[in-house]
Amino acid sequence: MADRKIEQIREIVSGIAEPDEIAEVDRVVGEAKGRILMESKRGFWAGKTPCWEMVRCPEAIKNDCPASKGHSVACWEIAGTYCKLPSGHDTSICEVCRVYKRWGDGEVIAIKLDTTGTTGSAAAETRTKAASAKAKGGK
Ligand code: SF4
């Protein structure tokens, strides 16, 4: 398939004689590269409506949640997402969640990536606790 596409592009480009036409081809190729690069950074969510859009996560939470970090696993497979508070491991909410229902294909939910303690809800909780302890003059 790819070979045939390349052959078709070679044929089209070989018929181009004007510099502005080559510039246009360059622009189109650049757009495609950008789209592919963006999709590759979306990890599991490439080509899908991501959880943070489906559940309308506030920007601050989305930016701190491991589900938006381009991992290759789904949000329900990540320990440490905000939805799984307080432990970060509670997947029972995922079983009834429309995100899992939309993209989970009924697969059994199992944690494949544990980010608790580094990013996401559990880490945010840890940081909050540390900050308030510090505010009270403790370590
Ligand atoms: S509840 Fe689970 S499936 Fe739903 S958005 Fe949160 S992590 Fe994803």
Side-chain angles (χ1 to χ4, degrees):
M1 177 68 166
D3 291 349
R4 211 177 81 225
K5 279 186 185 171
I6 300 298
E7 272 321 302
Q8 288 170 332
I9 292 167
R10 271 188 216 289
E11 210 178 300
I12 293 165
V13 171
S14 65
I16 292 176
E18 300 300 327
D20 57 349
E21 288 177 311
I22 286 290
E24 184 62 12
V25 170
D26 256 353
R27 193 186 59 73
V28 171
V29 170
E31 277 175 12
K33 279 184 190 169
R35 183 176 39 75
I36 291 163
L37 192 64
M38 284 300 293
E39 285 295 316
S40 68
K41 285 193 175 154
R42 285 170 60 107
F44 172 80
W45 299 113
K48 303 179 185 80
T49 309
C51 61
W52 59 86
E53 286 178 18
M54 291 182 74
V55 299
R56 297 198 178 89
C57 260
E59 195 66 19
I61 288 182
K62 174 236 172 181
N63 291 340
D64 192 43
C65 185
S68 70
K69 304 296 180 211
H71 296 296
S72 59
V73 293
C75 56
W76 55 86
E77 298 169 320
I78 301 174
T81 63
Y82 276 78
C83 316
K84 301 185 186 78
L85 276 173
S87 71
H89 291 83
D90 181 5
T91 58
S92 62
I93 189 171
C94 305
E95 283 151 22
V96 293
C97 176
R98 64 176 176 273
V99 176
Y100 169 68
K101 288 183 178 168
R102 175 70 183 83
W103 304 116
D105 293 334
E107 69 182 37
V108 175
I109 295 178
I111 297 292
K112 292 183 182 162
L113 175 64
D114 190 338
T115 67
T116 53
T118 56
T119 63
S121 61
E125 240 176 285
T126 316
R127 279 196 295 277
T128 320
K129 281 191 188 129
S132 57
K134 200 164 183 193
K136 290 187 192 115
K139 283 235 175 322

PDB file of all heavy atoms in Angstrom, residues 33-44 46 70-71:
ATOM      1  N   LYS A  33       3.254  15.925   8.210  1.00  0.00           N
ATOM      2  CA  LYS A  33       4.248  15.609   9.257  1.00  0.00           C
ATOM      3  C   LYS A  33       3.753  16.105  10.608  1.00  0.00           C
ATOM      4  O   LYS A  33       3.802  15.391  11.602  1.00  0.00           O
ATOM      5  CB  LYS A  33       5.579  16.310   8.941  1.00  0.00           C
ATOM      6  CG  LYS A  33       6.451  15.607   7.932  1.00  0.00           C
ATOM      7  CD  LYS A  33       7.761  16.368   7.808  1.00  0.00           C
ATOM      8  CE  LYS A  33       8.611  15.903   6.656  1.00  0.00           C
ATOM      9  NZ  LYS A  33       9.739  16.830   6.430  1.00  0.00           N
ATOM     10  N   GLY A  34       3.249  17.340  10.636  1.00  0.00           N
ATOM     11  CA  GLY A  34       2.767  17.927  11.883  1.00  0.00           C
ATOM     12  C   GLY A  34       1.629  17.099  12.476  1.00  0.00           C
ATOM     13  O   GLY A  34       1.630  16.790  13.676  1.00  0.00           O
ATOM     14  N   ARG A  35       0.704  16.680  11.621  1.00  0.00           N
ATOM     15  CA  ARG A  35      -0.451  15.899  12.087  1.00  0.00           C
ATOM     16  C   ARG A  35       0.030  14.555  12.653  1.00  0.00           C
ATOM     17  O   ARG A  35      -0.364  14.151  13.737  1.00  0.00           O
ATOM     18  CB  ARG A  35      -1.422  15.692  10.919  1.00  0.00           C
ATOM     19  CG  ARG A  35      -2.691  14.949  11.287  1.00  0.00           C
ATOM     20  CD  ARG A  35      -3.653  14.870  10.112  1.00  0.00           C
ATOM     21  NE  ARG A  35      -3.034  14.639   8.829  1.00  0.00           N
ATOM     22  CZ  ARG A  35      -2.554  13.459   8.431  1.00  0.00           C
ATOM     23  NH1 ARG A  35      -2.606  12.432   9.251  1.00  0.00           N
ATOM     24  NH2 ARG A  35      -1.999  13.294   7.254  1.00  0.00           N
ATOM     25  N   ILE A  36       0.942  13.908  11.950  1.00  0.00           N
ATOM     26  CA  ILE A  36       1.433  12.594  12.407  1.00  0.00           C
ATOM     27  C   ILE A  36       2.196  12.746  13.720  1.00  0.00           C
ATOM     28  O   ILE A  36       2.024  11.954  14.647  1.00  0.00           O
ATOM     29  CB  ILE A  36       2.309  11.948  11.312  1.00  0.00           C
ATOM     30  CG1 ILE A  36       1.429  11.562  10.127  1.00  0.00           C
ATOM     31  CG2 ILE A  36       3.057  10.733  11.858  1.00  0.00           C
ATOM     32  CD1 ILE A  36       2.194  11.303   8.840  1.00  0.00           C
ATOM     33  N   LEU A  37       2.991  13.804  13.814  1.00  0.00           N
ATOM     34  CA  LEU A  37       3.752  14.046  15.035  1.00  0.00           C
ATOM     35  C   LEU A  37       2.802  14.287  16.193  1.00  0.00           C
ATOM     36  O   LEU A  37       2.944  13.699  17.268  1.00  0.00           O
ATOM     37  CB  LEU A  37       4.659  15.270  14.842  1.00  0.00           C
ATOM     38  CG  LEU A  37       5.706  15.472  15.927  1.00  0.00           C
ATOM     39  CD1 LEU A  37       6.691  14.304  15.915  1.00  0.00           C
ATOM     40  CD2 LEU A  37       6.452  16.792  15.702  1.00  0.00           C
ATOM     41  N   MET A  38       1.787  15.120  15.968  1.00  0.00           N
ATOM     42  CA  MET A  38       0.805  15.407  17.021  1.00  0.00           C
ATOM     43  C   MET A  38       0.114  14.123  17.453  1.00  0.00           C
ATOM     44  O   MET A  38      -0.016  13.842  18.638  1.00  0.00           O
ATOM     45  CB  MET A  38      -0.246  16.410  16.508  1.00  0.00           C
ATOM     46  CG  MET A  38       0.235  17.824  16.441  1.00  0.00           C
ATOM     47  SD  MET A  38       0.731  18.429  18.072  1.00  0.00           S
ATOM     48  CE  MET A  38      -0.881  18.440  18.872  1.00  0.00           C
ATOM     49  N   GLU A  39      -0.301  13.314  16.480  1.00  0.00           N
ATOM     50  CA  GLU A  39      -1.011  12.070  16.798  1.00  0.00           C
ATOM     51  C   GLU A  39      -0.107  11.146  17.609  1.00  0.00           C
ATOM     52  O   GLU A  39      -0.532  10.544  18.576  1.00  0.00           O
ATOM     53  CB  GLU A  39      -1.449  11.372  15.504  1.00  0.00           C
ATOM     54  CG  GLU A  39      -2.640  12.027  14.829  1.00  0.00           C
ATOM     55  CD  GLU A  39      -3.919  11.952  15.664  1.00  0.00           C
ATOM     56  OE1 GLU A  39      -4.207  10.889  16.228  1.00  0.00           O
ATOM     57  OE2 GLU A  39      -4.578  13.001  15.826  1.00  0.00           O
ATOM     58  N   SER A  40       1.187  11.090  17.239  1.00  0.00           N
ATOM     59  CA  SER A  40       2.097  10.174  17.948  1.00  0.00           C
ATOM     60  C   SER A  40       2.265  10.622  19.393  1.00  0.00           C
ATOM     61  O   SER A  40       2.430   9.793  20.290  1.00  0.00           O
ATOM     62  CB  SER A  40       3.467  10.133  17.254  1.00  0.00           C
ATOM     63  OG  SER A  40       4.103  11.386  17.428  1.00  0.00           O
ATOM     64  N   LYS A  41       2.160  11.936  19.662  1.00  0.00           N
ATOM     65  CA  LYS A  41       2.312  12.424  21.033  1.00  0.00           C
ATOM     66  C   LYS A  41       1.066  12.137  21.834  1.00  0.00           C
ATOM     67  O   LYS A  41       1.077  12.219  23.051  1.00  0.00           O
ATOM     68  CB  LYS A  41       2.583  13.941  21.028  1.00  0.00           C
ATOM     69  CG  LYS A  41       4.011  14.257  20.606  1.00  0.00           C
ATOM     70  CD  LYS A  41       4.354  15.694  20.901  1.00  0.00           C
ATOM     71  CE  LYS A  41       5.821  15.934  20.571  1.00  0.00           C
ATOM     72  NZ  LYS A  41       6.081  17.317  20.241  1.00  0.00           N
ATOM     73  N   ARG A  42      -0.043  11.859  21.183  1.00  0.00           N
ATOM     74  CA  ARG A  42      -1.291  11.638  21.917  1.00  0.00           C
ATOM     75  C   ARG A  42      -1.345  10.232  22.479  1.00  0.00           C
ATOM     76  O   ARG A  42      -2.235   9.892  23.253  1.00  0.00           O
ATOM     77  CB  ARG A  42      -2.489  11.923  21.028  1.00  0.00           C
ATOM     78  CG  ARG A  42      -2.698  13.430  20.836  1.00  0.00           C
ATOM     79  CD  ARG A  42      -3.709  13.746  19.770  1.00  0.00           C
ATOM     80  NE  ARG A  42      -5.021  13.230  20.005  1.00  0.00           N
ATOM     81  CZ  ARG A  42      -6.087  13.945  20.352  1.00  0.00           C
ATOM     82  NH1 ARG A  42      -5.934  15.227  20.564  1.00  0.00           N
ATOM     83  NH2 ARG A  42      -7.253  13.420  20.517  1.00  0.00           N
ATOM     84  N   GLY A  43      -0.353   9.381  22.078  1.00  0.00           N
ATOM     85  CA  GLY A  43      -0.331   8.025  22.636  1.00  0.00           C
ATOM     86  C   GLY A  43      -1.651   7.305  22.408  1.00  0.00           C
ATOM     87  O   GLY A  43      -2.173   7.285  21.298  1.00  0.00           O
ATOM     88  N   PHE A  44      -2.194   6.727  23.476  1.00  0.00           N
ATOM     89  CA  PHE A  44      -3.429   5.932  23.380  1.00  0.00           C
ATOM     90  C   PHE A  44      -4.543   6.743  22.726  1.00  0.00           C
ATOM     91  O   PHE A  44      -5.375   6.210  22.001  1.00  0.00           O
ATOM     92  CB  PHE A  44      -3.879   5.499  24.768  1.00  0.00           C
ATOM     93  CG  PHE A  44      -5.240   4.845  24.778  1.00  0.00           C
ATOM     94  CD1 PHE A  44      -5.381   3.517  24.421  1.00  0.00           C
ATOM     95  CD2 PHE A  44      -6.376   5.582  25.076  1.00  0.00           C
ATOM     96  CE1 PHE A  44      -6.631   2.918  24.380  1.00  0.00           C
ATOM     97  CE2 PHE A  44      -7.632   4.992  25.051  1.00  0.00           C
ATOM     98  CZ  PHE A  44      -7.761   3.650  24.697  1.00  0.00           C
ATOM     99  N   ALA A  46      -4.569   8.864  20.304  1.00  0.00           N
ATOM    100  CA  ALA A  46      -4.431   9.202  18.884  1.00  0.00           C
ATOM    101  C   ALA A  46      -5.694   8.763  18.129  1.00  0.00           C
ATOM    102  O   ALA A  46      -6.112   7.617  18.225  1.00  0.00           O
ATOM    103  CB  ALA A  46      -3.199   8.524  18.297  1.00  0.00           C
ATOM    104  N   GLY A  70       0.359  11.403  27.118  1.00  0.00           N
ATOM    105  CA  GLY A  70       0.809  10.733  25.897  1.00  0.00           C
ATOM    106  C   GLY A  70       1.236   9.283  26.105  1.00  0.00           C
ATOM    107  O   GLY A  70       1.935   8.720  25.265  1.00  0.00           O
ATOM    108  N   HIS A  71       0.791   8.699  27.227  1.00  0.00           N
ATOM    109  CA  HIS A  71       1.142   7.299  27.444  1.00  0.00           C
ATOM    110  C   HIS A  71       0.427   6.410  26.414  1.00  0.00           C
ATOM    111  O   HIS A  71      -0.633   6.760  25.906  1.00  0.00           O
ATOM    112  CB  HIS A  71       0.721   6.852  28.861  1.00  0.00           C
ATOM    113  CG  HIS A  71       1.451   7.578  29.945  1.00  0.00           C
ATOM    114  ND1 HIS A  71       2.811   7.473  30.131  1.00  0.00           N
ATOM    115  CD2 HIS A  71       1.013   8.439  30.904  1.00  0.00           C
ATOM    116  CE1 HIS A  71       3.177   8.228  31.158  1.00  0.00           C
ATOM    117  NE2 HIS A  71       2.104   8.835  31.630  1.00  0.00           N
TER     118      HIS A  71
END
